[in-house]
Amino acid sequence: MTEDMSPAERYAAAKLRAAEQATALAPFREMYDFALDPFQIDACRALEAGKGVLVAAPTGSGKTIVGEFAVHLALQQGRKCFYTTPIKALSNQKYQDLVRRYGADKVGLLTGDNSVNSEAPVVVMTTEVLRNMLYAGSRSLIGLGYVVMDEVHYLSDRFRGAVWEEVIIHLPESVTLVSLSATVSNAEEFGDWLDTVRGDTEVIVSEHRPVPLWQHVLAGRRMYDLFEEREGQGGGRREVNPDLERLARIENSRPTSGKDKRRGRNMREADRERERRQRSRIWTPSRAEVIDRLDNEGLLPAITFIFSRAGCQAAVQQCLYAGLRLNDQEGREKVRRIVEARTAGIPDDDLHVLGYFEWLEGLERGIAAHHAGMLPTFKEVVEELFVQGLVKAVFATETLALGINMPARSVVLEKLVKWNGEQHADITPGEYTQLTGRAGRRGIDVEGHAVVLWQRGMNPGALAGLAGTRTYPLRSSFKPSYNMAVNLVSQFGRHRSRELLEMSFAQFQADKSVVGISREVQKNEAGLEGYRASMTCHLGDFEEYSALRRKLKDRETELAKQGAAQRRVAAAAALEKLRPGDVIHVPTGKYAGLALVLDPGMPSGRTDRHRGYEVQDGPRPLVLTAERQVKRLASMDFPVPVEALDRMRIPKSFNARSPQSRRDLASALRTKAGHLVPSRHRKPRSEAIDDKEIARLRKDIRAHPCHGCDEREDHARWAERYHRLLRDTRQLERRIEGRTNTIARTFDRICALLTELDYLEGDTVTDEGRRLARLYGELDLLASECLREGVWEGLGPAELAACASALVFEARQADDATAPKLPAGRARDALGEMVRIWGRLDALEEDHKINQAEGVGQREPDLGFAWAAYRWASGFGLDEVLVEADMPAGDFVRWCKQLIDVLGQIAAAAPPGGTVARTARKAVEGVLRGVVAYSSVG
């Protein structure tokens, strides 16, 4: 090709190649044995040009390459790079990847659990660790050049998402930010915000999946494609597979009621046989059948997502009982060697408690579970074996979808409903995309497969909507906290802190949503000017005259409503006096006329399910009409009070369901009372006639100059339009006011409460405030108040561990049925005092309009882990503690590590001269032992 180029063109091409070779990107590309994708190259070039980048690309597309290029640039420039991730497992995995590439001397790890080479030029850490470093003004920030925020879309998480925004806002301007996100539908909006708070930021979006994804539904023995390609104008288009829609119709037509079953018995034999054959093909395969089917079709390794830890464990057992074996003898031996090497440091007694041998049997057969309830070491072994192809079927909860490098050939979804912490809800398109994004291993698989199991009532159209929707908007979950407030005021003062908070993505999104409403307000204001001009009267101020007319109308309407309400009360009171055998005249409605009361229908009260309180319907009498109908009447049939005209005896043998009984009694009713005429109800005198306010308004209207205008009614019509539009405009302005400065207003309330508690004095942070600045977590203020009041003074290490556990532990499911077991003596008293202090803080928050429902404020301390923490810190064995705690080992270890973290904070924040700091350090030693101390690194 170069032969066809002119000398000038060859020179220009050579110059371009030389320029590319001189970049940092050229040697970086040579470190990989595959060519980089265009979006990766564009992002790396932007980084090298000194810009920040936001990369939004599908799971498995290789966006972490851009993060690794930031590491490469930092090392080349002699600067530092922090690589942050949302979860510790992902941090550990990224640490191992970077150590393999750059060596252990250049890479460190900080996760709260582990601190390895923390002063290295490249440090992998959880996002919370970096946030804490920023607030503490850590010296480790000196020389920081790049920060990579992996899985930055996690800022939508309502529990932890605020941390991502805190880091983005507070990072020094000199730091270049690399944001890596899953495909989100508002990447440009997020990029605009990053551009505002971080400076020049390039937004790079890639929708391309490197490995194509095929969507299937497994029903019975058959695997159906979810979509079918159809030829049409402008090329092919995807439509829902008609076979699946037919399957849904057959399934939904199954006889369920007794009536349907009788109809089924009367069907022709041939029709029944055909329907039986069709339905016999529709069932949800068992977990073992699914894995066996995937194995036969060459679709393993597979990850099956089950939104339940117990379900994951049960699935492994079901596969073992079914005799599934996915590894040959050589594979089994490899698995055993790896597992024994990785678990060599765990004592045999603990292995037995942890269910090691059952877990190993599953691994040897190529089957495993993966969820947060497992010991971290066990999870890491599963990840390692899966990547090596020695585990081929993993049953996992959705946490596995969060960036952990475990790509599979296939992903199976058992159900499209999951528990979201509050209720069972359908998974969102974003969650579906995240889960199925694991399918298809780059460089290994030609295509990935997402398989959804058939479930009763499945709607193929809805599933196609999930699979075909790329709407996954990033929504901020940012909320100020007490710790954040004192740290911000300490560094920047109140005014500057408010400005910083107004830079949050949450406020950016709220302000952006206000733009459209503001345009509407401006348009309305232009309309109001036009209406005001049209209602101008040469005789006087028509706006004033119109206001008088409107007040008159409002007062008349108010009195009419009061009168109607009084009539309803009177009518209800009259109905309450009715007794069985009363002859009445129903004044209006379908059943107007003579009637005999069979039952007065007095209300017993009922609960309004939507509002949760008891309401009275009023009496609903059951009557027999003169036309032989038995009906239950309502209050609307009695707009005026009713009274008994006469009385009749109702025979004991009367049966309201018997036509003959009804006929006989109705005949007797007509004979006895047919001649009676109800007294004419006089319409009550209108209260408006005697109302002084109405008389005054009418007088003022008649006296107004505009009352004599010939075009008065024309002006009045324009005035009515003006006031209607004015009312709508005021509502829009209230909406704008509610959305703007929301974060800053919450910050002001928090500062007001902290001022009342002497943590702040204007722009000054007090000694108590500086203590609060060292305490992070949901119950930061409660911990600070406990230190201030000396609640934990004099406690032993195990007792302090029990108390501190209430600051971090939160039961997965609320269970108020039984009180948690608590240690006796001083620990129990201290826990009781903590709850009392929380009650005082809760009342203060209510006074300051700090709303826990909006994610701000202090939740009630949960004492459910106190006994387990006390026993473990006292030296009891793992077996005893786990049995009493009724908790999976993974959960126990995770809560212990969070407990260690908060004990460290308490030791750092405790006032000098007391015993708490020393006791907290001893408590850490008591908790950090055995299974909790097993390092998950190295």
PDB file of all heavy atoms in Angstrom, residues 640 643 677-683:
ATOM      1  N   VAL A 640     -81.908  13.019  52.572  1.00  0.00           N
ATOM      2  CA  VAL A 640     -82.634  13.738  53.625  1.00  0.00           C
ATOM      3  C   VAL A 640     -82.999  12.739  54.720  1.00  0.00           C
ATOM      4  O   VAL A 640     -83.045  11.530  54.470  1.00  0.00           O
ATOM      5  CB  VAL A 640     -83.916  14.398  53.061  1.00  0.00           C
ATOM      6  CG1 VAL A 640     -83.551  15.488  52.060  1.00  0.00           C
ATOM      7  CG2 VAL A 640     -84.826  13.367  52.422  1.00  0.00           C
ATOM      8  N   GLU A 643     -87.965   8.762  58.283  1.00  0.00           N
ATOM      9  CA  GLU A 643     -88.577   8.334  59.537  1.00  0.00           C
ATOM     10  C   GLU A 643     -89.567   7.213  59.259  1.00  0.00           C
ATOM     11  O   GLU A 643     -90.060   7.073  58.119  1.00  0.00           O
ATOM     12  CB  GLU A 643     -89.279   9.507  60.228  1.00  0.00           C
ATOM     13  CG  GLU A 643     -90.318  10.197  59.364  1.00  0.00           C
ATOM     14  CD  GLU A 643     -90.879  11.438  60.039  1.00  0.00           C
ATOM     15  OE1 GLU A 643     -90.172  12.038  60.861  1.00  0.00           O
ATOM     16  OE2 GLU A 643     -92.017  11.785  59.716  1.00  0.00           O
ATOM     17  N   VAL A 677     -98.647   8.372  52.819  1.00  0.00           N
ATOM     18  CA  VAL A 677     -97.876   9.359  52.055  1.00  0.00           C
ATOM     19  C   VAL A 677     -96.828   9.952  53.004  1.00  0.00           C
ATOM     20  O   VAL A 677     -97.193  10.439  54.087  1.00  0.00           O
ATOM     21  CB  VAL A 677     -98.794  10.489  51.516  1.00  0.00           C
ATOM     22  CG1 VAL A 677     -97.957  11.526  50.763  1.00  0.00           C
ATOM     23  CG2 VAL A 677     -99.874   9.912  50.643  1.00  0.00           C
ATOM     24  N   PRO A 678     -95.532   9.895  52.611  1.00  0.00           N
ATOM     25  CA  PRO A 678     -94.497  10.428  53.510  1.00  0.00           C
ATOM     26  C   PRO A 678     -94.646  11.935  53.652  1.00  0.00           C
ATOM     27  O   PRO A 678     -95.067  12.625  52.717  1.00  0.00           O
ATOM     28  CB  PRO A 678     -93.190  10.061  52.798  1.00  0.00           C
ATOM     29  CG  PRO A 678     -93.556   9.929  51.362  1.00  0.00           C
ATOM     30  CD  PRO A 678     -94.971   9.409  51.340  1.00  0.00           C
ATOM     31  N   SER A 679     -94.279  12.423  54.823  1.00  0.00           N
ATOM     32  CA  SER A 679     -94.338  13.875  55.040  1.00  0.00           C
ATOM     33  C   SER A 679     -93.301  14.548  54.141  1.00  0.00           C
ATOM     34  O   SER A 679     -92.179  14.057  53.996  1.00  0.00           O
ATOM     35  CB  SER A 679     -94.063  14.199  56.501  1.00  0.00           C
ATOM     36  OG  SER A 679     -92.805  13.673  56.881  1.00  0.00           O
ATOM     37  N   ARG A 680     -93.682  15.631  53.536  1.00  0.00           N
ATOM     38  CA  ARG A 680     -92.805  16.331  52.599  1.00  0.00           C
ATOM     39  C   ARG A 680     -91.645  16.981  53.378  1.00  0.00           C
ATOM     40  O   ARG A 680     -91.886  17.732  54.336  1.00  0.00           O
ATOM     41  CB  ARG A 680     -93.613  17.385  51.850  1.00  0.00           C
ATOM     42  CG  ARG A 680     -92.845  18.051  50.710  1.00  0.00           C
ATOM     43  CD  ARG A 680     -93.752  19.071  50.035  1.00  0.00           C
ATOM     44  NE  ARG A 680     -93.056  19.734  48.956  1.00  0.00           N
ATOM     45  CZ  ARG A 680     -92.988  19.287  47.715  1.00  0.00           C
ATOM     46  NH1 ARG A 680     -93.610  18.150  47.403  1.00  0.00           N
ATOM     47  NH2 ARG A 680     -92.335  19.933  46.785  1.00  0.00           N
ATOM     48  N   HIS A 681     -90.448  16.663  52.986  1.00  0.00           N
ATOM     49  CA  HIS A 681     -89.285  17.211  53.705  1.00  0.00           C
ATOM     50  C   HIS A 681     -89.040  18.642  53.238  1.00  0.00           C
ATOM     51  O   HIS A 681     -88.855  18.895  52.051  1.00  0.00           O
ATOM     52  CB  HIS A 681     -88.036  16.358  53.435  1.00  0.00           C
ATOM     53  CG  HIS A 681     -86.823  16.836  54.182  1.00  0.00           C
ATOM     54  ND1 HIS A 681     -86.654  16.638  55.532  1.00  0.00           N
ATOM     55  CD2 HIS A 681     -85.742  17.551  53.757  1.00  0.00           C
ATOM     56  CE1 HIS A 681     -85.523  17.177  55.921  1.00  0.00           C
ATOM     57  NE2 HIS A 681     -84.954  17.746  54.850  1.00  0.00           N
ATOM     58  N   ARG A 682     -89.087  19.541  54.183  1.00  0.00           N
ATOM     59  CA  ARG A 682     -88.874  20.949  53.834  1.00  0.00           C
ATOM     60  C   ARG A 682     -87.383  21.228  53.681  1.00  0.00           C
ATOM     61  O   ARG A 682     -86.581  20.855  54.523  1.00  0.00           O
ATOM     62  CB  ARG A 682     -89.441  21.851  54.927  1.00  0.00           C
ATOM     63  CG  ARG A 682     -90.963  21.827  55.004  1.00  0.00           C
ATOM     64  CD  ARG A 682     -91.452  22.775  56.063  1.00  0.00           C
ATOM     65  NE  ARG A 682     -91.054  24.136  55.768  1.00  0.00           N
ATOM     66  CZ  ARG A 682     -91.163  25.152  56.630  1.00  0.00           C
ATOM     67  NH1 ARG A 682     -91.638  24.936  57.851  1.00  0.00           N
ATOM     68  NH2 ARG A 682     -90.795  26.371  56.288  1.00  0.00           N
ATOM     69  N   LYS A 683     -87.044  21.873  52.585  1.00  0.00           N
ATOM     70  CA  LYS A 683     -85.646  22.229  52.352  1.00  0.00           C
ATOM     71  C   LYS A 683     -85.225  23.272  53.380  1.00  0.00           C
ATOM     72  O   LYS A 683     -85.921  24.281  53.580  1.00  0.00           O
ATOM     73  CB  LYS A 683     -85.489  22.800  50.935  1.00  0.00           C
ATOM     74  CG  LYS A 683     -84.044  22.999  50.533  1.00  0.00           C
ATOM     75  CD  LYS A 683     -83.940  23.414  49.074  1.00  0.00           C
ATOM     76  CE  LYS A 683     -82.484  23.600  48.681  1.00  0.00           C
ATOM     77  NZ  LYS A 683     -82.349  24.021  47.283  1.00  0.00           N
TER      78      LYS A 683
END
